Amino acid sequence: MGKIVAATGNEAVAEALRQINPDVCAAYPITPQTDMMQRFASFVSDGKVDTEIMLVESEHSAMSACIGASAGGGRVATATSGPGLALMWEMLYVASGMRLPIVMPVVNRSLSAPLNIHGDHSDAMGARDSGWIQLWSENAQEAYDNTIQAFRIGEHMDIRLPVMVCLDGFIISHSIERMEYLDDNVVKAFVREYKSLNPLLDVENPKSIGPLILPDLYHEYKRAQHEVMTKVKDVVLDVAEDFKKISGRSYGLFETYRLDDAEIAVVILNSAAGTAKDIVDEFREKGIKAGLLKPRLFRPFPYEEVAHALKNLKAVCIMDRADSFGGYGPLFMEVSSALYPLNDRPIMINKIYGLGGRDFMPQHAEIVLDELVEIVKTGKFKTIKEYIGVRE
Amino acid sequence: MKIPGWKELTPGAVILQAGNATEFKTGSWRSLKPKWKEENCIQCLFCWIYCPDMSIKVKDGKRGEFDYDFCKGCGICALECPGKKGKKAIVMEEEDK
């Protein structure tokens, strides 16, 4: 059986990558991802993996090299953070458009300016529309588990799409937690032997990749790409079912916490969900029916399922660790779109919290839940979008 | 060539039929057309070397007629042609003439 360890998020994901042993990994160091790939590079130099590691001159090159290696027919992984992900932007769309199942842990970091290296979801939210599957992780255990499942999801023959595994910079990447590693042979058997689809290095069957597609066909290729995304939810659930058999840990499209009979709830991603759950418990002890929903699969977004889970609430606060300046937070936009088709829907508010690594404190969750209690009482809300934890 | 619907596409726009570019006739892009004047040709094959496509047909080491299905009329062959006694073996003419 597995091994109980004390590990940081970066260490845990590096360990998952060691166990998976990808064929190629092209990466460029960027805080707070650096320590993850440094650990993985040590596995390469110590002969613990067979991976061909490519140390490139930028993240644009890292993703380009990953695309080449994946198109060639290899199992490929990389990792990045914040501005590194931003520099990959052009190539992200190439990876998904070419249907290459590259797995990339994204150690979430803010974007400049002002220059900041800390935990924030602006990076991955900026890549929201790039055609990548996105799995989000609350802690080191989830980041490790999601990394292992990401290979099975992306490499599924009906899917063949790249996958980002998001974990919060520093808060998770650099904090030590108790967690459980699976045995090497269990992970190896779970991810299975890599099967390529139309690989370029199959010299018996020459082919062309990355062609110019003009207006007579481009629209059809995008329609096909949309169709693939509609199949992802089922695959994510199937893979989670298999993963439960080897780990005992359950995963879904999202996690619900004390939500079944709740009247008020917060929707919140990643590490801050842990803090918010404690405060949900405090409110429950006070007799207030509070709950929480933590999305796991953000792309494709499970609109119907989220709507079903939230439909009986009276008020819900959707919390974003990223802003869309001049718009609502990205998570709010998804959840409000999900709830829109319902005739009866909860009152929705949006709070922007924790930008650039600002701590999300228990009192922030308290303020939000208190406000939701007040909204339920009066049936009125002040503002839809508001910053919390900000100095006046 | 039938244009496929979205359900008929290869994942990731991979082209599995090697060499299918021959089905795509690009000669219609041409506004100037090279004309071969055999009497001035010294068979140096500069045109064959310089052609950025494969529009100079060569058989038994000697050039023949242009492949107008693919010649885009760039004129490189006419520029490079040394001709014979100052007379070019390839001249560019307006299309339709």
Side-chain angles (χ1 to χ4, degrees), chain B residues 9-30:
Chain B
L9 302 174
T10 326
V14 175
I15 297 171
L16 297 172
Q17 303 79 33
N20 75 346
T22 54
E23 291 168 31
F24 188 44
K25 307 275 192 273
T26 48
S28 63
W29 299 3
R30 198 171 52 232

Side-chain angles (χ1 to χ4, degrees), chain A residues 97 99 207-208 211 220-221 223, chain B residues 6 9-16:
Chain A
R99 305 277 304 278
K207 54 188 73 75
S208 284
E220 280 69 26
Y221 274 107
R223 174 66 185 84
Chain B
W6 70 266
L9 302 174
T10 326
V14 175
I15 297 171
L16 297 172

Side-chain angles (χ1 to χ4, degrees), chain B:
Chain B
M1 196 163 49
K2 183 191 165 285
I3 302 178
W6 70 266
K7 291 175 189 169
E8 303 163 290
L9 302 174
T10 326
V14 175
I15 297 171
L16 297 172
Q17 303 79 33
N20 75 346
T22 54
E23 291 168 31
F24 188 44
K25 307 275 192 273
T26 48
S28 63
W29 299 3
R30 198 171 52 232
S31 62
L32 291 173
K33 187 177 186 174
K35 194 178 174 202
W36 182 42
K37 296 187 167 178
E38 196 173 353
E39 66 274 20
N40 296 334
C41 180
I42 58 166
Q43 290 294 342
C44 66
L45 297 184
F46 271 25
C47 52
W48 173 74
I49 291 168
Y50 280 102
C51 177
D53 206 295
M54 293 167 72
S55 301
I56 316 290
K57 289 179 182 166
V58 173
K59 200 180 172 191
D60 301 328
K62 295 206 165 188
R63 74 152 288 168
E65 201 35 273
F66 284 99
D67 184 347
Y68 289 114
D69 279 350
F70 298 102
C71 169
K72 301 172 193 73
C74 70
I76 293 173
C77 56
L79 185 78
E80 297 297 339
C81 176
K84 195 193 281 177
K85 295 177 183 172
K87 286 180 178 170
K88 289 268 187 189
I90 303 173
V91 290
M92 301 304 288
E93 294 180 347
E94 291 283 327
E95 190 67 32
D96 294 325
K97 265 188 187 172

Side-chain angles (χ1 to χ4, degrees), chain A residues 263-264 314-315 347 371-380:
Chain A
E263 292 182 347
I264 56 170
K314 291 182 177 161
I347 294 172
E371 189 177 333
L372 290 175
V373 169
E374 193 60 23
I375 288 170
V376 171
K377 207 181 285 173
T378 61
K380 286 178 187 150

Side-chain angles (χ1 to χ4, degrees), chain A residues 145-281:
Chain A
D145 292 350
N146 279 340
T147 302
I148 294 167
Q149 292 176 71
F151 284 87
R152 278 277 299 274
I153 297 164
E155 291 171 7
H156 192 288
M157 279 300 169
D158 294 343
I159 305 293
R160 307 305 286 188
L161 283 176
V163 189
M164 286 180 202
V165 177
C166 300
L167 61 149
D168 284 350
F170 290 108
I171 303 164
I172 298 307
S173 67
H174 286 63
S175 305
I176 295 178
E177 289 178 77
R178 174 206 179 274
M179 60 167 292
E180 187 182 327
Y181 286 153
L182 298 165
D183 287 338
D184 288 3
N185 56 354
V186 171
V187 175
K188 198 177 170 188
F190 181 81
V191 297
R192 301 166 181 173
E193 188 87 4
Y194 182 72
K195 286 198 180 72
S196 54
L197 179 67
N198 300 325
L200 199 55
L201 291 180
D202 170 14
V203 291
E204 301 297 314
N205 298 291
K207 54 188 73 75
S208 284
I209 61 157
L212 168 74
I213 299 292
L214 294 170
D216 60 349
L217 264 178
Y218 183 90
H219 204 52
E220 280 69 26
Y221 274 107
K222 294 295 133 180
R223 174 66 185 84
Q225 210 176 324
H226 162 72
E227 188 69 12
V228 175
M229 271 293 192
T230 66
K231 297 176 186 166
V232 171
K233 281 191 295 193
D234 287 344
V235 172
V236 166
L237 292 174
D238 286 349
V239 170
E241 193 67 32
D242 279 0
F243 189 76
K244 192 181 176 180
K245 287 176 198 152
I246 61 161
S247 68
R249 292 184 289 276
S250 298
Y251 286 92
L253 305 175
F254 47 81
E255 182 195 336
T256 56
Y257 185 74
R258 306 187 85 163
L259 195 64
D260 287 350
D261 64 336
E263 292 182 347
I264 56 170
V266 292
V267 178
I268 192 162
L269 283 163
N270 276 17
S271 65
T275 310
K277 283 176 198 169
D278 276 356
I279 305 307
V280 165
D281 288 345

